[in-house]
Amino acid sequence: VDAFQAWCGPCKTVVDLFRKIRNEVGSDFLHFAVAEVDSIDALEKYRGKCEPAFLFYAGGELVALVRGVNVPLLQKTILELL
């Protein structure tokens, strides 16, 4: 989940990375979403930050968090979690 604030919008720079990984591993295993933290109370702790937060869930539980646009770390995290 790309957790973003309304004033900056979702992180468009990693969309290509997400598409590439999803095409490689198949859509049954991996799903991407965006969430505006300003309108979701459960994501309140991610408000007021100047960097995007990428939340990784498995079985409905938060299992990893990557702050900032660090493409190598995002890719590594996704592949390790799969």
Side-chain angles (χ1 to χ4, degrees):
V1 177
D2 177 0
F4 69 94
Q5 294 183 88
W7 59 268
C8 65
C11 186
K12 295 177 182 174
T13 60
V14 296
V15 170
D16 289 338
L17 169 68
F18 291 162
R19 283 189 185 136
K20 177 181 176 262
I21 293 172
R22 186 171 182 188
N23 287 337
E24 290 174 359
V25 301
S27 62
D28 292 342
F29 299 109
L30 189 58
H31 302 280
F32 297 105
V34 294
E36 183 183 327
V37 300
D38 299 319
S39 61
I40 301 171
D41 290 338
L43 298 176
E44 181 179 8
K45 65 182 171 183
Y46 302 104
R47 295 177 190 162
K49 308 291 184 206
C50 291
E51 62 186 359
F54 297 93
L55 312 174
F56 297 88
Y57 289 87
E61 299 292 324
L62 181 66
V63 295
L65 166 67
V66 173
R67 289 194 182 272
V69 182
N70 182 335
V71 172
L73 181 57
L74 285 168
Q75 185 169 4
K76 178 182 175 199
T77 302
I78 292 167
L79 296 176
E80 285 178 355
L81 290 173
L82 288 175

